[in-house]
Amino acid sequence: KWEKFYPEIKDTVDPRFLLQQKFPVNQTLNNKVAIWRGDITTLEIDAIVNAANSSLLGGGGVDGAIHSAAGSGLRKENATLGGCRTGEAKLSTGHKMPCGFVLSTVGPIGEDPDALESCYKESLDLLKEVELKSIGFCCISTGIFGYPNRNAAEVALQTTREWMEKNHEKIDLIIFVIFLPVDWTIYTHLMPQYFPVE
Ligand code: ADP
């Protein structure tokens, strides 16, 4: 019967979990998280997160879009960073993009919740360490790296919520930057589970 009410989420969100609240209501945290659909390279924000590969020298998907928008300076800067392992995060500047900084992280190839959790945690820890206040995440690993979209979104939201519980005073804004319609559907349905409202 749920298909009648939520036809667009068939095969994307398990209906049994739709109305489940995974965390208590916390308006302070809610005020600092958002989903936004668009091109991450256009965001005027302290830092955007790149789903990079271990070389940090550019690739396809969002990585390609970020390197094109940033210009060759990003590649030159990244060449000095010694690469990046899966689950790590490295910091560079935004070059020609309106964001201040790029946080490059390398997601797992295929489904690996611990590695994906580490990407979100390491990015947020690094943001805090350098005292930046706002960050935009792309849907790490869900493109070329093939992580199932809904499971990846659950890891992203769970990890962010847990991190926010401890660190929300240090930051102002976390944006989940959505590119594909399928992820928009998933995030709009999962958000109320991880960041419920009254
Ligand atoms: P990965 O190799 O980690 O899977 P991809 O770049 O293939 O990385 O995909 C990660 C996510 O980034 C996907 O949801 C893809 O649709 C999205 N994406 C691609 N281009 C952009 C962009 N310009 N802005 C935001 N997200 C993007």
Side-chain angles (χ1 to χ4, degrees):
K1 287 196 184 56
W2 57 272
E3 282 175 48
K4 207 171 107 196
F5 300 105
Y6 299 103
E8 75 282 14
I9 56 146
K10 195 169 174 296
D11 304 327
T12 57
V13 177
D14 186 330
R16 285 171 299 170
F17 298 120
L18 265 181
L19 301 171
Q20 223 179 67
Q21 221 172 270
K22 296 202 160 81
F23 290 89
V25 174
N26 184 331
Q27 201 53 44
T28 309
L29 304 192
N30 291 351
N31 290 343
K32 295 184 176 189
V33 292
I35 51 176
W36 177 77
R37 187 151 174 233
D39 178 356
I40 200 166
T41 65
T42 66
L43 272 190
E44 288 180 39
I45 197 163
D46 289 347
I48 61 170
V49 176
N50 184 14
N53 59 45
S54 56
S55 76
L56 298 182
L57 300 178
V62 71
D63 194 15
I66 287 174
H67 276 270
S68 310
S72 58
L74 180 61
R75 190 183 155 94
K76 282 195 200 112
E77 185 182 359
N78 282 0
T80 68
L81 299 180
C84 186
R85 284 188 294 261
T86 302
E88 271 186 345
K90 295 261 174 108
L91 188 76
S92 356
T93 51
H95 296 270
K96 290 183 179 164
M97 292 186 289
C99 61
F101 294 85
V102 178
L103 277 160
S104 295
T105 188
V106 180
I109 298 172
E111 188 165 1
D112 179 342
D114 291 342
L116 190 60
E117 179 183 328
S118 171
C119 290
Y120 283 91
K121 223 184 260 164
E122 295 265 319
S123 300
L124 290 165
D125 285 342
L126 185 50
L127 186 83
K128 185 176 87 167
E129 191 185 314
V130 295
E131 296 182 358
L132 297 175
K133 299 289 179 193
S134 57
I135 183 169
F137 278 104
C138 67
C139 300
I140 302 162
S141 277
T142 63
I144 299 157
F145 281 3
Y147 206 116
N149 296 56
R150 180 168 66 85
N151 296 358
E154 301 247 17
V155 171
L157 290 167
Q158 171 93 25
T159 308
T160 303
R161 171 78 200 218
E162 283 168 358
W163 191 88
M164 289 278 277
E165 298 277 343
K166 290 177 232 131
N167 300 289
H168 68 89
E169 280 168 359
K170 305 275 189 215
I171 60 147
D172 295 335
L173 180 63
I174 298 175
I175 299 182
F176 295 100
V177 178
I178 310 299
F179 201 62
L180 301 177
V182 63
D183 288 316
W184 184 257
T185 302
I186 291 168
Y187 273 81
T188 51
H189 286 90
L190 289 179
M191 215 55 182
Q193 293 182 15
Y194 292 89
F195 296 93
V197 289
E198 295 283 5

